[in-house]
Amino acid sequence: MGGPDAFARMWAAVLTETGYVAMDRRGLVEQMREYTEVLLAGLRSDRFAPEPVERVGAGLVGMRLAGPETLRASLLLIGADLLRVTGAGELRAELLPAVQGAFAAGFATAMQEKIFRDQETIRRAALEARRGAEVALLASENRFRAMFNQAAVGIAIGDADGTLLEVNTALADMLGYQVDELRGMNVDDLRFPDEPAAMRRPFDEVSSGARDHYRMERLLRRADGKPLWTDVTVSLVRTETGEPQYLVGMIEDITDRHLLEERLRHQANHDPLTGLGNRARFTERLTTAFGCDDDTRVGVCYLDLDGFKVINDSLGHDIGDELLVAVAARLDRLVTAPGRIVARMGGDEFVVLVERSSGRAELVDLADRILAALAEPFPIGGHRLAVSASIGLVERSVVDATPAETMRDADVTLYWAKADGKNRWAAYDPDRNAREVARFTLSARMPAAVESEEFYVDYQPIVRLSDGHLIGVEALVRWAHPEFGRLGPDQFIGLAEETGLIVPLGRWVLREATRQARRWHDAYGDRAPMVSVNLAARQTEEPTLVADVATIIKAANVPPSTIQLELTESAIMSTTGGPLRTLRDLADLGIRIAIDDFGTGYSNLAYLRHLPVHAIKLAGSFMEGLRDSPTADPADAQIVTTLVALSHALGHVVIAEGVEDPEQADRLREFGCDSAQGWLFAKPGRPEEIERWLEK
């Protein structure tokens, strides 16, 4: 059976093998069971707190289990068996290195405190030995010698110049010397080669009497030349007159702890799956690059694998992970060089940093080579997987932006590359970014703008060509933006359709238009114009559209036949099922339905006769061919003639859009077109402009 009890028994067995345990077997297992629960609690926590685990490490030292073998064996047991033996499914495996680190830190801190207490005891023993009587001196010397020789840490006594006068066996074993070999050596002989001069300063200050003690980590050289990481504490023993006399050093071997810290530091800065640097390491390198001289340039390639989710979903996450490892290895071979680093940002996103970039061309060449390298299939799990990537490029001087702004812009360009078709790179363009920001600003502002009535409606006359009589108007929404000023529908209707705000906006426009129709009906009676309102394809998908329209028309108290709803040709020709029923229900209410921009799509004309349509609005693009000019396309006149004849054959009224000069109006009359609108007659304007027309 597994669980905390099994792990506690394993731990107790390891402690018994590596040190002397001053308690019976049952008591030791119970103590280890308590410590195991502390470790498991750390692995369950959402935010890891190291202090409880540090107290576990200190507890072993308190039990006099303070040897390096005990520390090493406990860390190995925790790392290799804690998750496996306890078998707790809610444990977070990624916290295991943090638990090991906290345990080691607590063990080391408790050991250092013990060493310091021992050192103070030794120093007092040395002073008492000098001042006491002969018998007391001998007794004190015996006690000191016993402590000196039996201490688990290395102890050395030297003169003020650093010559070793006495060392214990623990220090000799640690350094790989015999005790007699170390006597007479100078501490300089134990320094590791190429040690910075600043590391010697504390020793010089103590030996000169400028300070009484210091403590630091030092890299010493063993007898075989290998490095030895140590925690060194040196204290000064003065003469009765205060002059430096002896130096007492206590040295602890912390090589295992140092290696563990290095491993934990590596894990904190590297992706565990691919071995590449992670987001933290990349951010550190990018920040360092931006701290260079003002003339330094940096480049960033931010890439995302195209369609990686499909591979994960179809072949499984194991295959997906193998593919990520293979991609990382290929990128590492291609990119990594002095001044360059490739890192995994998470998921299927990778980023390349080019320090001291030579310019945009270098980034473009690198992006092309990355795309070419990824195009070669990856043999994974019996499959040959082909992948592509979208890459965002940013290359700039370090004075032009911050690291955070650079990564934001790289992320934006990555989105551009995907939006432009994937398997390509896109370079940062400040003008395009400004347009995107403006679009986002408008999109974010739009919901509040609908509520605060920043929108208003202009009306453009629709004129009967036979006599120039005003028979209708088209309602055109405008936005009085508080920052950008007056905006036409081409600047925000697309955003409204993308965000779904076209539904409440369209409802608001219809409500305003019907209210205006009511005012004109009250003022002009039968001479009041029909009001035509645009209806987006997205609105036809709303299940409440018919009810909403009926409610709005009823609230305005206008005849339904005075309202015309316009849909574009592509939208109305694709209406099948529910949307088609919606159009028929609207027509059944007595509302007129018109096809806007007719002739520009690829319609099934036979299907047209089955639609509940009352009017056809010819696209303004055909009007250019009706001018009497060398650039006029005769085909336009033929198309208009055909469309007018077809529409009349189906019983539809024909309205021409975009009429700008009398020649176009004359040709339309010649072809039998019923009505027209355009700048020849009037530009869109406020309701007062329409009323002046009606009063002529």
Side-chain angles (χ1 to χ4, degrees):
M1 295 293 290
D5 290 331
F7 184 83
R9 291 192 295 272
M10 293 174 62
W11 200 354
V14 167
L15 296 178
T16 304
E17 294 174 358
T18 58
Y20 174 74
V21 182
M23 65 173 62
D24 59 31
R25 172 71 176 180
R26 176 179 297 178
L28 179 60
V29 171
E30 291 177 354
Q31 183 64 64
M32 293 305 102
R33 178 66 166 78
E34 295 179 8
Y35 286 168
T36 299
E37 289 295 340
V38 174
L39 300 183
L40 294 177
L43 290 172
R44 294 188 188 99
S45 61
D46 290 332
R47 175 173 289 182
F48 177 67
E51 291 80 6
V53 179
E54 290 176 355
R55 289 194 288 271
V56 172
L60 292 189
V61 177
M63 295 166 62
R64 299 184 180 275
L65 296 171
E69 288 299 325
T70 297
L71 174 61
R72 182 186 299 109
S74 295
L75 286 174
L76 289 175
L77 183 68
I78 293 170
D81 297 311
L82 181 57
L83 295 177
R84 178 182 61 82
V85 174
T86 56
E90 73 277 21
L91 299 183
R92 298 176 59 193
E94 67 271 19
L95 293 179
L96 190 58
V99 169
Q100 290 177 294
F103 176 83
F107 188 97
T109 300
M111 191 62 193
Q112 290 166 357
E113 292 173 354
K114 180 178 180 301
I115 291 171
F116 190 76
R117 291 194 301 270
D118 291 344
Q119 176 189 343
E120 290 299 311
T121 302
I122 293 171
R123 192 163 69 90
R124 286 195 298 270
L127 292 174
E128 291 172 1
R130 287 178 52 83
R131 297 192 182 108
E134 186 70 26
V135 175
L137 178 62
L138 180 60
S140 177
E141 183 176 346
N142 289 337
R143 289 194 301 271
F144 170 76
R145 182 60 57 186
M147 182 180 298
F148 186 83
N149 289 331
Q150 297 175 20
V153 298
I155 303 175
I157 300 175
D159 60 20
D161 294 329
T163 300
L164 299 178
L165 304 177
E166 193 65 62
V167 298
N168 68 350
T169 303
L171 179 61
D173 293 342
M174 194 183 302
L175 294 170
Y177 288 96
Q178 297 294 323
V179 171
D180 293 339
E181 291 177 316
L182 285 174
R183 292 194 186 105
M185 290 180 63
N186 194 278
V187 293
D188 288 338
D189 299 329
L190 301 176
R191 298 180 187 276
F192 203 77
D194 302 325
E195 181 185 63
M199 299 291 288
R200 182 182 173 86
R201 186 177 301 117
F203 178 85
D204 293 339
E205 292 174 350
V206 170
S207 62
S208 66
R211 59 193 296 184
D212 288 330
H213 59 83
Y214 74 87
R215 178 180 178 179
M216 63 189 306
E217 292 187 3
R218 297 286 299 276
L219 186 62
L220 302 181
R221 180 177 59 183
R222 287 174 43 87
D224 55 10
K226 294 180 180 179
L228 177 71
W229 279 100
T230 61
D231 186 296
V232 177
T233 303
V234 176
S235 297
L236 175 64
V237 179
R238 300 178 182 270
T239 64
E240 293 181 356
T241 60
E243 296 298 322
Q245 185 176 25
Y246 297 112
L247 300 177
V248 179
M250 303 190 69
I251 300 92
E252 178 189 3
D253 182 358
I254 60 169
T255 301
D256 288 343
R257 190 187 80 191
H258 184 79
L259 294 176
L260 176 61
E261 290 173 350
E262 286 294 320
R263 187 173 68 184
L264 295 176
R265 189 177 298 112
H266 182 275
Q267 291 175 350
N269 288 282
H270 289 78
D271 176 50
L273 177 64
T274 64
L276 296 178
N278 60 10
R279 183 185 296 270
R281 177 167 173 76
F282 175 82
T283 302
E284 179 183 354
R285 287 283 294 269
L286 181 64
T287 303
T288 302
F290 269 82
C292 297
D293 300 332
D294 290 349
D295 60 349
T296 300
R297 302 186 67 83
V298 298
V300 173
C301 297
Y302 200 167
L303 65 99
D304 179 85
L305 300 183
D306 299 327
F308 179 75
K309 184 177 185 299
V310 175
I311 295 175
N312 255 352
D313 293 344
S314 59
L315 300 180
H317 288 271
D318 290 342
I319 296 295
D321 286 348
E322 290 186 43
L323 177 59
L324 289 176
V325 172
V327 168
R330 192 172 292 183
L331 290 175
D332 192 29
R333 290 192 300 269
L334 176 67
V335 171
T336 301
R340 291 184 179 182
I341 179 178
V342 58
R344 183 187 179 205
M345 300 297 279
D348 58 345
E349 293 183 355
F350 299 85
V351 63
V352 177
L353 171 65
V354 179
E355 300 170 345
R356 300 190 178 277
S357 165
S358 60
R360 183 177 183 271
E362 181 181 2
L363 270 292
V364 171
D365 175 70
L366 180 59
D368 286 336
R369 290 193 292 117
I370 289 174
L371 292 176
L374 294 179
E376 293 293 327
F378 292 84
I380 305 291
H383 307 278
R384 287 179 59 81
L385 302 179
V387 297
S388 63
S390 301
I391 305 177
L393 304 183
V394 175
E395 198 281 334
R396 59 175 46 138
S397 169
V398 297
V399 299
D400 292 339
T402 65
E405 291 169 343
T406 299
M407 289 308 300
R408 178 201 63 197
D409 294 342
D411 192 39
V412 167
T413 54
L414 172 60
Y415 169 80
W416 292 348
K418 285 192 172 294
D420 292 344
K422 302 181 180 180
N423 192 26
R424 66 191 63 214
W425 55 263
Y428 180 71
D429 179 358
D431 293 334
R432 180 175 179 178
N433 186 61
R435 292 193 297 271
E436 295 285 346
V437 171
R439 281 174 55 84
F440 174 78
T441 302
L442 290 177
S443 178
R445 173 73 183 177
M446 196 175 296
V450 175
E451 297 295 330
S452 59
E453 298 186 354
E454 293 177 11
F455 292 97
Y456 64 94
V457 179
D458 278 347
Y459 299 89
Q460 185 174 33
I462 300 175
V463 178
R464 188 163 55 218
L465 287 172
S466 61
D467 57 9
H469 186 72
L470 177 68
I471 62 169
V473 294
E474 180 178 356
L476 299 169
V477 64
R478 303 289 189 262
W479 187 354
H481 194 280
E483 179 181 354
F484 300 129
R486 182 178 182 274
L487 302 178
D490 58 315
Q491 295 174 281
F492 61 84
I493 289 297
L495 286 174
E497 292 176 342
E498 291 175 11
T499 59
L501 288 170
I502 192 66
V503 174
L505 178 60
R507 189 184 301 120
W508 179 87
V509 172
L510 180 61
R511 186 180 297 113
E512 288 296 307
T514 55
R515 289 172 179 171
Q516 184 60 54
R518 177 72 257 174
R519 288 190 286 269
W520 284 332
H521 190 273
D522 291 341
Y524 302 103
D526 293 340
R527 291 193 300 122
M530 169 198 68
V531 178
S532 190
V533 181
N534 289 284
L535 190 68
R538 173 69 176 79
Q539 292 176 265
T540 65
E541 300 172 1
E542 285 294 306
T544 62
L545 175 64
V546 176
D548 290 342
V549 172
T551 300
I552 291 172
I553 291 178
K554 182 178 180 181
N557 192 24
V558 295
S561 60
T562 63
I563 303 299
Q564 177 172 275
L565 298 179
E566 297 183 20
L567 277 83
T568 61
E569 180 183 5
S570 58
I572 203 169
M573 287 301 178
S574 64
T575 53
T576 59
L580 179 56
R581 286 193 297 273
T582 298
L583 290 183
R584 287 175 174 161
D585 290 342
L586 289 172
D588 290 342
L589 292 176
I591 297 171
R592 296 170 56 86
I593 305 296
I595 302 180
D596 195 14
D597 289 333
F598 189 76
T600 59
Y602 301 91
S603 305
N604 182 348
L605 298 179
Y607 181 52
L608 184 61
R609 62 193 179 96
H610 299 293
L611 295 173
V613 173
H614 301 85
I616 299 295
K617 299 190 74 174
L618 298 180
S621 58
F622 295 122
M623 298 304 108
E624 184 64 29
L626 304 186
R627 296 179 187 272
D628 186 10
S629 68
T631 59
D633 188 350
D636 284 345
Q638 186 62 46
I639 292 173
V640 170
T641 302
T642 303
L643 293 178
V644 169
L646 172 65
S647 299
H648 284 165
L650 295 174
H652 303 324
V653 174
V654 181
I655 305 171
E657 295 183 293
V659 180
E660 297 181 352
D661 59 45
E663 292 175 317
Q664 294 171 332
D666 291 341
R667 297 292 299 277
L668 289 168
R669 290 190 193 95
E670 178 185 335
F671 299 151
C673 184
D674 301 294
S675 306
Q677 68 183 92
W679 286 12
L680 172 63
F681 309 105
K683 294 181 180 181
R686 304 300 295 150
E688 294 80 8
E689 299 292 329
I690 303 299
E691 292 163 7
R692 278 194 287 270
W693 185 298
L694 291 170
E695 292 170 356
K696 288 180 182 179

